[in-house]
Amino acid sequence: NAGVTQTPKFQVLKTGQSMTLQCAQDMNHNSMYWYRQDPGMGLRLIYYSASEGTTDKGEVPNGYNVSRLNKREFSLRLESAAPSQTSVYFCASRVTGHGGTYEQYFGPGTRLTVT
Amino acid sequence: GNSVTQMEGPVTLSEEAFLTINCTYTATGYPSLFWYVQYPGEGLQLLLKATKADDKGSNKGFEATYRKETTSFHLEKGSVQVSDSAVYFCALTRPNSGYSTLTFGKGTMLLVSP
């Protein structure tokens, strides 16, 4: 049981380039999330998917798009990277439904630098 | 809106010292409260949680009590170890979003020296 996995672990982009961050979970969780972590800012929610087929904006969605490919996978796309998107990106998942608890399980993160 | 405020760090302690990291929150309704820990270079791990007033969450020697009257969820440990050095995040669910999203504090770095 690998939990939540993210690829890549590290990435360097030039301004204007695009890329997709991949996330997968093998815990059969319904909900998935993308956060960014910046020094002194804690974690801020970019997008989330409460269930397969749905996505919603979080606190800081501008410049990003997401795709809930299936129940296991939730990808984050930067169409035209900007230096302000230099950050560490975390994916998380959570079980929902009767008897489910509310904690989220996090992946190891992707460290992205945009030059 | 909903928010979480944590004491700023870093908190620097010697091994076996007592730890308190303060956390207060603002929320409508009855949020669930969490402490997450992030070790260097890793993702966040759930440390403990409490889902209603007066609940005490505990794990690995850490404790926190959900105090609705003071809107607080302070993290404590009686005797810290070097291996406890990490960043600690207080978080709450958003009751008005069906408990689907988390709001985090900015994190408090703990450094424990031998």
Side-chain angles (χ1 to χ4, degrees):
Chain A
N1 197 340
V4 180
T5 56
Q6 293 182 236
T7 55
K9 285 187 168 23
F10 300 95
Q11 184 71 48
V12 178
L13 291 178
K14 294 188 188 309
T15 298
Q17 288 184 319
S18 62
M19 79 161 295
T20 300
L21 281 64
Q22 306 286 352
C23 173
Q25 52 90 11
D26 62 1
M27 297 175 284
N28 201 35
H29 286 172
N30 295 320
S31 298
M32 297 185 73
Y33 307 81
W34 276 105
Y35 294 89
R36 60 178 289 172
Q37 182 180 27
D38 302 293
M41 300 292 290
L43 276 79
R44 294 181 291 170
L45 182 66
I46 305 172
Y47 270 93
Y48 67 102
S49 171
S51 61
E52 188 178 354
T54 69
T55 60
D56 288 284
K57 294 179 180 179
E59 184 184 353
V60 287
N62 291 344
Y64 305 95
N65 286 301
V66 290
S67 296
R68 184 72 183 268
L69 303 169
N70 47 55
K71 191 171 186 179
R72 290 188 62 248
E73 298 172 287
F74 188 40
S75 62
L76 178 72
R77 183 159 178 84
L78 287 70
E79 290 291 353
S80 179
S84 60
Q85 294 178 303
T86 293
S87 187
V88 182
Y89 292 86
F90 288 100
C91 179
S93 69
R94 182 179 76 90
V95 68
T96 54
H98 180 70
T101 54
Y102 306 127
E103 64 262 30
Q104 295 180 15
Y105 296 81
F106 285 79
T110 294
R111 188 174 295 274
L112 176 67
T113 301
V114 183
T115 61
Chain B
N2 301 310
S3 66
V4 175
T5 302
Q6 294 181 232
M7 61 189 291
E8 288 194 23
V11 173
T12 304
L13 295 173
S14 298
E15 207 165 23
E16 299 184 4
F18 185 85
L19 169 70
T20 300
I21 299 178
N22 290 337
C23 170
T24 57
Y25 68 89
T26 302
T28 55
Y30 301 93
S32 290
L33 302 173
F34 306 89
W35 278 101
Y36 280 85
V37 58
Q38 184 181 31
Y39 298 103
E42 297 185 11
L44 277 71
Q45 303 173 26
L46 179 67
L47 181 60
L48 53 84
K49 65 180 180 182
T51 58
K52 60 183 188 296
D54 299 326
D55 267 2
K56 178 185 284 189
S58 61
N59 186 26
K60 299 181 181 180
F62 291 89
E63 293 183 339
T65 301
Y66 187 166
R67 301 284 188 202
K68 192 158 180 66
E69 64 275 14
T70 54
T71 62
S72 65
F73 192 54
H74 303 321
L75 182 68
E76 297 181 336
K77 187 176 186 184
S79 176
V80 293
Q81 306 300 312
V82 172
S83 57
D84 293 327
S85 297
V87 180
Y88 292 81
F89 292 92
C90 185
L92 62 79
T93 59
R94 291 181 177 179
N96 58 357
S97 68
Y99 296 96
S100 64
T101 60
L102 281 170
T103 299
F104 285 90
K106 293 184 178 181
T108 303
M109 179 178 286
L110 171 65
L111 300 170
V112 181
S113 57

PDB file of all heavy atoms in Angstrom, chain B residues 2 8 19 22 27 29 32 35 40 52 60 62-64 67-70 72 76 79 81 87 89 91 93 103 105-106:
ATOM      1  N   ASN B   2     -13.143  31.299   8.152  1.00  0.00           N
ATOM      2  CA  ASN B   2     -12.427  30.379   9.037  1.00  0.00           C
ATOM      3  C   ASN B   2     -10.932  30.614   8.966  1.00  0.00           C
ATOM      4  O   ASN B   2     -10.378  30.835   7.878  1.00  0.00           O
ATOM      5  CB  ASN B   2     -12.734  28.946   8.635  1.00  0.00           C
ATOM      6  CG  ASN B   2     -14.207  28.653   8.697  1.00  0.00           C
ATOM      7  OD1 ASN B   2     -14.867  28.924   9.683  1.00  0.00           O
ATOM      8  ND2 ASN B   2     -14.752  28.127   7.617  1.00  0.00           N
ATOM      9  N   GLU B   8       4.440  31.830  16.302  1.00  0.00           N
ATOM     10  CA  GLU B   8       5.521  31.822  15.326  1.00  0.00           C
ATOM     11  C   GLU B   8       6.727  31.113  15.915  1.00  0.00           C
ATOM     12  O   GLU B   8       6.968  31.147  17.117  1.00  0.00           O
ATOM     13  CB  GLU B   8       5.893  33.253  14.952  1.00  0.00           C
ATOM     14  CG  GLU B   8       4.833  33.914  14.099  1.00  0.00           C
ATOM     15  CD  GLU B   8       5.337  35.193  13.435  1.00  0.00           C
ATOM     16  OE1 GLU B   8       6.558  35.327  13.275  1.00  0.00           O
ATOM     17  OE2 GLU B   8       4.497  36.044  13.109  1.00  0.00           O
ATOM     18  N   LEU B  19       7.059  20.996  26.016  1.00  0.00           N
ATOM     19  CA  LEU B  19       6.695  21.720  24.799  1.00  0.00           C
ATOM     20  C   LEU B  19       5.245  22.170  24.847  1.00  0.00           C
ATOM     21  O   LEU B  19       4.348  21.389  25.200  1.00  0.00           O
ATOM     22  CB  LEU B  19       6.862  20.810  23.564  1.00  0.00           C
ATOM     23  CG  LEU B  19       6.272  21.321  22.244  1.00  0.00           C
ATOM     24  CD1 LEU B  19       7.076  22.505  21.724  1.00  0.00           C
ATOM     25  CD2 LEU B  19       6.202  20.211  21.217  1.00  0.00           C
ATOM     26  N   ASN B  22       1.068  26.954  20.746  1.00  0.00           N
ATOM     27  CA  ASN B  22      -0.287  27.496  20.827  1.00  0.00           C
ATOM     28  C   ASN B  22      -0.974  27.521  19.460  1.00  0.00           C
ATOM     29  O   ASN B  22      -0.355  27.819  18.440  1.00  0.00           O
ATOM     30  CB  ASN B  22      -0.263  28.910  21.386  1.00  0.00           C
ATOM     31  CG  ASN B  22       0.117  28.927  22.854  1.00  0.00           C
ATOM     32  OD1 ASN B  22      -0.040  27.932  23.564  1.00  0.00           O
ATOM     33  ND2 ASN B  22       0.632  30.042  23.325  1.00  0.00           N
ATOM     34  N   ALA B  27     -13.924  29.927  13.556  1.00  0.00           N
ATOM     35  CA  ALA B  27     -14.729  29.098  12.657  1.00  0.00           C
ATOM     36  C   ALA B  27     -16.185  29.195  13.040  1.00  0.00           C
ATOM     37  O   ALA B  27     -16.512  29.377  14.215  1.00  0.00           O
ATOM     38  CB  ALA B  27     -14.276  27.642  12.715  1.00  0.00           C
ATOM     39  N   GLY B  29     -19.820  27.207  13.308  1.00  0.00           N
ATOM     40  CA  GLY B  29     -20.221  25.823  13.524  1.00  0.00           C
ATOM     41  C   GLY B  29     -19.271  25.103  14.455  1.00  0.00           C
ATOM     42  O   GLY B  29     -18.663  25.690  15.347  1.00  0.00           O
ATOM     43  N   SER B  32     -13.779  20.216  13.212  1.00  0.00           N
ATOM     44  CA  SER B  32     -12.843  19.232  13.723  1.00  0.00           C
ATOM     45  C   SER B  32     -11.445  19.857  13.644  1.00  0.00           C
ATOM     46  O   SER B  32     -11.162  20.640  12.741  1.00  0.00           O
ATOM     47  CB  SER B  32     -12.878  17.941  12.902  1.00  0.00           C
ATOM     48  OG  SER B  32     -14.090  17.255  13.111  1.00  0.00           O
ATOM     49  N   TRP B  35      -3.655  18.335  14.387  1.00  0.00           N
ATOM     50  CA  TRP B  35      -2.251  18.688  14.328  1.00  0.00           C
ATOM     51  C   TRP B  35      -1.574  17.746  13.344  1.00  0.00           C
ATOM     52  O   TRP B  35      -1.695  16.521  13.450  1.00  0.00           O
ATOM     53  CB  TRP B  35      -1.569  18.582  15.689  1.00  0.00           C
ATOM     54  CG  TRP B  35      -1.780  19.782  16.551  1.00  0.00           C
ATOM     55  CD1 TRP B  35      -2.657  19.928  17.585  1.00  0.00           C
ATOM     56  CD2 TRP B  35      -1.075  21.035  16.459  1.00  0.00           C
ATOM     57  NE1 TRP B  35      -2.548  21.175  18.127  1.00  0.00           N
ATOM     58  CE2 TRP B  35      -1.584  21.880  17.465  1.00  0.00           C
ATOM     59  CE3 TRP B  35      -0.054  21.514  15.632  1.00  0.00           C
ATOM     60  CZ2 TRP B  35      -1.124  23.182  17.655  1.00  0.00           C
ATOM     61  CZ3 TRP B  35       0.409  22.795  15.828  1.00  0.00           C
ATOM     62  CH2 TRP B  35      -0.126  23.615  16.829  1.00  0.00           C
ATOM     63  N   PRO B  40      11.671  17.067   7.954  1.00  0.00           N
ATOM     64  CA  PRO B  40      12.422  17.666   6.842  1.00  0.00           C
ATOM     65  C   PRO B  40      12.366  16.829   5.572  1.00  0.00           C
ATOM     66  O   PRO B  40      12.629  15.634   5.591  1.00  0.00           O
ATOM     67  CB  PRO B  40      13.847  17.754   7.401  1.00  0.00           C
ATOM     68  CG  PRO B  40      13.656  17.870   8.875  1.00  0.00           C
ATOM     69  CD  PRO B  40      12.470  17.005   9.205  1.00  0.00           C
ATOM     70  N   LYS B  52     -14.750  17.027  18.672  1.00  0.00           N
ATOM     71  CA  LYS B  52     -15.768  17.801  19.375  1.00  0.00           C
ATOM     72  C   LYS B  52     -15.172  18.403  20.626  1.00  0.00           C
ATOM     73  O   LYS B  52     -14.110  18.001  21.110  1.00  0.00           O
ATOM     74  CB  LYS B  52     -16.984  16.953  19.706  1.00  0.00           C
ATOM     75  CG  LYS B  52     -16.726  15.763  20.582  1.00  0.00           C
ATOM     76  CD  LYS B  52     -18.013  14.970  20.762  1.00  0.00           C
ATOM     77  CE  LYS B  52     -17.844  13.877  21.778  1.00  0.00           C
ATOM     78  NZ  LYS B  52     -16.893  12.865  21.387  1.00  0.00           N
ATOM     79  N   LYS B  60       1.988   9.511  20.247  1.00  0.00           N
ATOM     80  CA  LYS B  60       3.446   9.606  20.387  1.00  0.00           C
ATOM     81  C   LYS B  60       3.858  10.542  21.521  1.00  0.00           C
ATOM     82  O   LYS B  60       4.883  11.218  21.433  1.00  0.00           O
ATOM     83  CB  LYS B  60       4.075  10.098  19.077  1.00  0.00           C
ATOM     84  CG  LYS B  60       3.830   9.183  17.888  1.00  0.00           C
ATOM     85  CD  LYS B  60       4.505   9.735  16.631  1.00  0.00           C
ATOM     86  CE  LYS B  60       4.245   8.853  15.441  1.00  0.00           C
ATOM     87  NZ  LYS B  60       4.879   9.362  14.201  1.00  0.00           N
ATOM     88  N   PHE B  62       2.379  13.276  22.402  1.00  0.00           N
ATOM     89  CA  PHE B  62       1.788  14.597  22.178  1.00  0.00           C
ATOM     90  C   PHE B  62       0.307  14.569  22.557  1.00  0.00           C
ATOM     91  O   PHE B  62      -0.366  13.561  22.373  1.00  0.00           O
ATOM     92  CB  PHE B  62       1.913  15.008  20.711  1.00  0.00           C
ATOM     93  CG  PHE B  62       3.311  15.298  20.260  1.00  0.00           C
ATOM     94  CD1 PHE B  62       4.113  14.285  19.760  1.00  0.00           C
ATOM     95  CD2 PHE B  62       3.822  16.588  20.320  1.00  0.00           C
ATOM     96  CE1 PHE B  62       5.402  14.546  19.331  1.00  0.00           C
ATOM     97  CE2 PHE B  62       5.111  16.859  19.896  1.00  0.00           C
ATOM     98  CZ  PHE B  62       5.899  15.826  19.400  1.00  0.00           C
ATOM     99  N   GLU B  63      -0.182  15.714  23.069  1.00  0.00           N
ATOM    100  CA  GLU B  63      -1.595  15.834  23.411  1.00  0.00           C
ATOM    101  C   GLU B  63      -2.100  17.208  23.019  1.00  0.00           C
ATOM    102  O   GLU B  63      -1.335  18.178  22.991  1.00  0.00           O
ATOM    103  CB  GLU B  63      -1.799  15.687  24.924  1.00  0.00           C
ATOM    104  CG  GLU B  63      -1.507  14.331  25.477  1.00  0.00           C
ATOM    105  CD  GLU B  63      -1.809  14.261  26.975  1.00  0.00           C
ATOM    106  OE1 GLU B  63      -1.849  15.331  27.626  1.00  0.00           O
ATOM    107  OE2 GLU B  63      -1.999  13.146  27.483  1.00  0.00           O
ATOM    108  N   ALA B  64      -3.403  17.285  22.739  1.00  0.00           N
ATOM    109  CA  ALA B  64      -4.063  18.573  22.521  1.00  0.00           C
ATOM    110  C   ALA B  64      -5.526  18.410  22.881  1.00  0.00           C
ATOM    111  O   ALA B  64      -6.134  17.398  22.552  1.00  0.00           O
ATOM    112  CB  ALA B  64      -3.919  19.037  21.075  1.00  0.00           C
ATOM    113  N   ARG B  67     -10.734  23.093  23.072  1.00  0.00           N
ATOM    114  CA  ARG B  67     -11.365  24.006  24.017  1.00  0.00           C
ATOM    115  C   ARG B  67     -12.238  24.990  23.247  1.00  0.00           C
ATOM    116  O   ARG B  67     -11.740  25.945  22.653  1.00  0.00           O
ATOM    117  CB  ARG B  67     -10.299  24.790  24.797  1.00  0.00           C
ATOM    118  CG  ARG B  67      -9.330  23.935  25.577  1.00  0.00           C
ATOM    119  CD  ARG B  67      -9.955  23.384  26.821  1.00  0.00           C
ATOM    120  NE  ARG B  67      -8.966  22.711  27.674  1.00  0.00           N
ATOM    121  CZ  ARG B  67      -9.278  21.808  28.578  1.00  0.00           C
ATOM    122  NH1 ARG B  67     -10.556  21.437  28.745  1.00  0.00           N
ATOM    123  NH2 ARG B  67      -8.346  21.255  29.317  1.00  0.00           N
ATOM    124  N   LYS B  68     -13.531  24.749  23.278  1.00  0.00           N
ATOM    125  CA  LYS B  68     -14.426  25.623  22.511  1.00  0.00           C
ATOM    126  C   LYS B  68     -14.567  26.992  23.169  1.00  0.00           C
ATOM    127  O   LYS B  68     -14.690  28.012  22.495  1.00  0.00           O
ATOM    128  CB  LYS B  68     -15.794  24.965  22.351  1.00  0.00           C
ATOM    129  CG  LYS B  68     -16.676  25.665  21.329  1.00  0.00           C
ATOM    130  CD  LYS B  68     -17.753  24.776  20.800  1.00  0.00           C
ATOM    131  CE  LYS B  68     -18.623  25.499  19.788  1.00  0.00           C
ATOM    132  NZ  LYS B  68     -17.842  25.838  18.577  1.00  0.00           N
ATOM    133  N   GLU B  69     -14.490  27.031  24.498  1.00  0.00           N
ATOM    134  CA  GLU B  69     -14.689  28.315  25.188  1.00  0.00           C
ATOM    135  C   GLU B  69     -13.570  29.300  24.892  1.00  0.00           C
ATOM    136  O   GLU B  69     -13.791  30.512  24.901  1.00  0.00           O
ATOM    137  CB  GLU B  69     -14.847  28.088  26.697  1.00  0.00           C
ATOM    138  CG  GLU B  69     -13.628  27.522  27.389  1.00  0.00           C
ATOM    139  CD  GLU B  69     -13.538  26.010  27.329  1.00  0.00           C
ATOM    140  OE1 GLU B  69     -14.275  25.381  26.524  1.00  0.00           O
ATOM    141  OE2 GLU B  69     -12.718  25.454  28.078  1.00  0.00           O
ATOM    142  N   THR B  70     -12.364  28.771  24.632  1.00  0.00           N
ATOM    143  CA  THR B  70     -11.242  29.646  24.298  1.00  0.00           C
ATOM    144  C   THR B  70     -10.830  29.497  22.828  1.00  0.00           C
ATOM    145  O   THR B  70      -9.828  30.083  22.406  1.00  0.00           O
ATOM    146  CB  THR B  70     -10.017  29.328  25.175  1.00  0.00           C
ATOM    147  OG1 THR B  70      -9.705  27.928  25.062  1.00  0.00           O
ATOM    148  CG2 THR B  70     -10.292  29.677  26.636  1.00  0.00           C
ATOM    149  N   SER B  72      -9.342  27.142  21.239  1.00  0.00           N
ATOM    150  CA  SER B  72      -7.926  26.792  21.207  1.00  0.00           C
ATOM    151  C   SER B  72      -7.727  25.285  21.088  1.00  0.00           C
ATOM    152  O   SER B  72      -8.617  24.495  21.411  1.00  0.00           O
ATOM    153  CB  SER B  72      -7.215  27.307  22.459  1.00  0.00           C
ATOM    154  OG  SER B  72      -7.716  26.654  23.606  1.00  0.00           O
ATOM    155  N   GLU B  76       0.912  19.910  23.232  1.00  0.00           N
ATOM    156  CA  GLU B  76       1.828  19.770  24.352  1.00  0.00           C
ATOM    157  C   GLU B  76       2.528  18.419  24.312  1.00  0.00           C
ATOM    158  O   GLU B  76       1.976  17.431  23.831  1.00  0.00           O
ATOM    159  CB  GLU B  76       1.086  19.908  25.694  1.00  0.00           C
ATOM    160  CG  GLU B  76       0.456  21.256  25.912  1.00  0.00           C
ATOM    161  CD  GLU B  76      -0.245  21.345  27.254  1.00  0.00           C
ATOM    162  OE1 GLU B  76      -0.640  20.295  27.791  1.00  0.00           O
ATOM    163  OE2 GLU B  76      -0.395  22.472  27.763  1.00  0.00           O
ATOM    164  N   SER B  79       8.090  15.755  27.369  1.00  0.00           N
ATOM    165  CA  SER B  79       9.536  15.596  27.283  1.00  0.00           C
ATOM    166  C   SER B  79       9.902  15.383  25.814  1.00  0.00           C
ATOM    167  O   SER B  79       9.702  14.289  25.275  1.00  0.00           O
ATOM    168  CB  SER B  79       9.980  14.399  28.129  1.00  0.00           C
ATOM    169  OG  SER B  79      11.359  14.166  27.995  1.00  0.00           O
ATOM    170  N   GLN B  81      12.136  15.047  22.304  1.00  0.00           N
ATOM    171  CA  GLN B  81      13.341  14.373  21.866  1.00  0.00           C
ATOM    172  C   GLN B  81      13.874  15.065  20.616  1.00  0.00           C
ATOM    173  O   GLN B  81      13.134  15.774  19.919  1.00  0.00           O
ATOM    174  CB  GLN B  81      13.039  12.898  21.547  1.00  0.00           C
ATOM    175  CG  GLN B  81      12.374  12.141  22.676  1.00  0.00           C
ATOM    176  CD  GLN B  81      13.238  12.115  23.918  1.00  0.00           C
ATOM    177  OE1 GLN B  81      14.435  11.820  23.844  1.00  0.00           O
ATOM    178  NE2 GLN B  81      12.657  12.434  25.078  1.00  0.00           N
ATOM    179  N   VAL B  87       8.294  20.621  11.596  1.00  0.00           N
ATOM    180  CA  VAL B  87       7.339  21.724  11.534  1.00  0.00           C
ATOM    181  C   VAL B  87       5.956  21.169  11.875  1.00  0.00           C
ATOM    182  O   VAL B  87       5.550  20.138  11.336  1.00  0.00           O
ATOM    183  CB  VAL B  87       7.312  22.391  10.152  1.00  0.00           C
ATOM    184  CG1 VAL B  87       6.301  23.545  10.138  1.00  0.00           C
ATOM    185  CG2 VAL B  87       8.705  22.903   9.776  1.00  0.00           C
ATOM    186  N   PHE B  89       1.811  21.808  12.171  1.00  0.00           N
ATOM    187  CA  PHE B  89       0.717  22.591  11.603  1.00  0.00           C
ATOM    188  C   PHE B  89      -0.580  22.273  12.335  1.00  0.00           C
ATOM    189  O   PHE B  89      -0.958  21.099  12.460  1.00  0.00           O
ATOM    190  CB  PHE B  89       0.508  22.266  10.122  1.00  0.00           C
ATOM    191  CG  PHE B  89       1.618  22.711   9.223  1.00  0.00           C
ATOM    192  CD1 PHE B  89       2.663  21.861   8.911  1.00  0.00           C
ATOM    193  CD2 PHE B  89       1.611  23.985   8.676  1.00  0.00           C
ATOM    194  CE1 PHE B  89       3.688  22.263   8.074  1.00  0.00           C
ATOM    195  CE2 PHE B  89       2.630  24.402   7.834  1.00  0.00           C
ATOM    196  CZ  PHE B  89       3.668  23.545   7.530  1.00  0.00           C
ATOM    197  N   ALA B  91      -4.683  22.674  12.121  1.00  0.00           N
ATOM    198  CA  ALA B  91      -5.618  22.784  10.995  1.00  0.00           C
ATOM    199  C   ALA B  91      -7.039  22.506  11.464  1.00  0.00           C
ATOM    200  O   ALA B  91      -7.254  21.855  12.494  1.00  0.00           O
ATOM    201  CB  ALA B  91      -5.239  21.810   9.878  1.00  0.00           C
ATOM    202  N   THR B  93     -11.239  21.690   9.853  1.00  0.00           N
ATOM    203  CA  THR B  93     -12.120  21.508   8.709  1.00  0.00           C
ATOM    204  C   THR B  93     -13.010  22.726   8.587  1.00  0.00           C
ATOM    205  O   THR B  93     -13.124  23.533   9.520  1.00  0.00           O
ATOM    206  CB  THR B  93     -13.008  20.287   8.876  1.00  0.00           C
ATOM    207  OG1 THR B  93     -13.770  20.461  10.067  1.00  0.00           O
ATOM    208  CG2 THR B  93     -12.191  19.029   8.956  1.00  0.00           C
ATOM    209  N   THR B 103      -8.279  24.040   6.586  1.00  0.00           N
ATOM    210  CA  THR B 103      -7.619  25.330   6.696  1.00  0.00           C
ATOM    211  C   THR B 103      -6.437  25.157   7.637  1.00  0.00           C
ATOM    212  O   THR B 103      -6.613  24.682   8.764  1.00  0.00           O
ATOM    213  CB  THR B 103      -8.572  26.400   7.241  1.00  0.00           C
ATOM    214  OG1 THR B 103      -9.672  26.550   6.337  1.00  0.00           O
ATOM    215  CG2 THR B 103      -7.860  27.732   7.386  1.00  0.00           C
ATOM    216  N   GLY B 105      -2.879  26.542   9.731  1.00  0.00           N
ATOM    217  CA  GLY B 105      -2.060  27.627  10.238  1.00  0.00           C
ATOM    218  C   GLY B 105      -0.761  27.674   9.457  1.00  0.00           C
ATOM    219  O   GLY B 105      -0.495  26.831   8.594  1.00  0.00           O
ATOM    220  N   LYS B 106       0.076  28.660   9.770  1.00  0.00           N
ATOM    221  CA  LYS B 106       1.302  28.857   8.993  1.00  0.00           C
ATOM    222  C   LYS B 106       2.430  27.910   9.380  1.00  0.00           C
ATOM    223  O   LYS B 106       3.464  27.874   8.732  1.00  0.00           O
ATOM    224  CB  LYS B 106       1.762  30.310   9.110  1.00  0.00           C
ATOM    225  CG  LYS B 106       0.795  31.281   8.446  1.00  0.00           C
ATOM    226  CD  LYS B 106       1.308  32.705   8.486  1.00  0.00           C
ATOM    227  CE  LYS B 106       0.322  33.622   7.765  1.00  0.00           C
ATOM    228  NZ  LYS B 106       0.795  35.034   7.751  1.00  0.00           N
TER     229      LYS B 106
END
